[in-house]
Every structure is written in C-alpha cells, then in structure tokens.
Amino acid sequence: MRVVIAEDAVLLREGLAGLLERFGHTVVASVGDAPALLAAVAEHDPDAVVTDVRMPPGFADEGLRAALELRGRRPGLAVLVLSQYVEQTYAAELLESGDGAGVGYLLKDRIGDVREFVDALGRVAGGGTVVDPEVVRQLLRRRRDPLGRLTPREHQVLGLIAEGRANASIAKELFVTEAAVAKHIAGIFAKLDLPPAADGHRRVLAVLTYLRG
C-alpha cells in the first residue's frame, strides 16, 4: 500500500518508513508537522496515513486534528494514530468518523513487535478498526461521567459559571480569592479534558458539559 507518515521525531519517522518498505509497502511521503501532512495527502492520495498526535507547530494535538480533517475530506482514508498517550478530546471523534471503519489508535510503548504494528496497519487499510485496550478504557471512563471527577467546590464554581458569573463575582459568592477561583477553573478545564483554546471558549464548553450532566 501507499503510505504517508507524519512524525516529528526524525529517527522514529525514518525507522517507520524503513520498516514499512521492508514489508513491501511504499512510503510516498514522510513529514514532520501537521500542515505538511495535509499537503502530502493532497499531493499523493495515499491508501493510509500513520500519524503521531503531538506535532509542530504547537506540540499539542495537531496530528490528531489533521487526521480528523483528512477523514472529513476523505471518509475512506485509512488512518492509524501511533502515539505515546491518549488524547481524549479528539480520539473518540476520530474513532467515530466514517462509522469507525479504517481507523486505529495504538500506543507506542504497548506494541509488542514490528509485525504487530504492520499487521494493524493492514487491518486499518482494509477497513478494519484497531484500538489499544488502554485507549478504550480511558475513553469509556471519560464518557461514563465527565462531571464525576470534579470536587464539590469545583461543582459550585462550574454552577456559578453557568449562571454567567465572572471570576470576581464567584470569589465574592464563595468567600475566596479570585486566585483561588482561577485555580478551580483551571482544574475544571483539565478534568473535563477541554481542548486548548481561549478562556472564554472553554468556559462555554464547560457550561455545556455541566448542562448535559
């Protein structure tokens, strides 16, 4: 098959390319950032993409967001995410894209041998779904009750945010400092796995989660 690899670590990127070619596949492009991944897929029209999650320019979730964009453009494009950690915010969305066909999410340190990885890519390219059990466990835990991880005080703060209160008003209501309120809000954002964004946007997402709960 024809494959595009997106991985910012040069040695790993070159190692993956050599490995796939050794098993008879053709690496049509090997890139190190998300914009280059989008451009390479547009240019080469590959059968499959292997991408990391954290890549330049922000080293956050650029690779995964690029994979989502590619699946939106080409629902049949096989995408295998190969990462060191579970990016919960977008992982579920990726795994649900295209009804879950032709997509995979594996953790680098849990792959037992090279043939296991190559076989997983083959299954994804054939329309299958390959997901590390640890990825499934974390996503199920998150979906079960996203508000369940909040402390009673964080619940109070989130409820006041939902009322449209500013930090100063929340501090006055709870008889704490604004710095304490800011700390609670940061904890809420982290526990709800809200994506990096402007503070105002994350407050809206937090309120939506609160209302759904």
Side-chain angles (χ1 to χ4, degrees), residues 88-196:
Q88 296 186 5
T89 305
Y90 295 107
E93 189 176 347
L94 176 67
L95 295 173
E96 290 169 355
S97 65
D99 294 326
V103 67
Y105 198 127
L106 298 178
L107 299 179
K108 294 176 180 177
D109 60 357
R110 289 167 59 87
I111 296 176
D113 56 61
V114 294
R115 185 172 291 278
E116 177 184 349
F117 164 70
V118 175
D119 288 346
L121 180 59
R123 293 198 301 274
V124 169
T129 305
V130 179
V131 185
D132 189 291
E134 176 63 17
V135 176
V136 174
R137 187 185 69 81
Q138 291 197 33
L139 291 179
L140 286 176
R141 183 178 63 189
R142 175 174 181 257
R143 287 185 170 191
R144 194 158 50 236
D145 183 10
L147 297 177
R149 289 179 281 174
L150 303 185
T151 66
R153 177 64 89 184
E154 288 169 344
H155 271 282
Q156 284 183 298
V157 171
L158 184 51
L160 293 170
I161 291 175
E163 295 176 11
R165 304 281 197 98
N167 286 14
S169 176
I170 295 172
K172 185 176 180 180
E173 175 73 21
L174 300 179
F175 301 99
V176 297
T177 65
E178 287 191 44
V181 171
K183 184 176 180 180
H184 287 312
I185 291 174
I188 291 167
F189 290 164
K191 290 178 181 179
L192 295 183
D193 297 312
L194 297 179

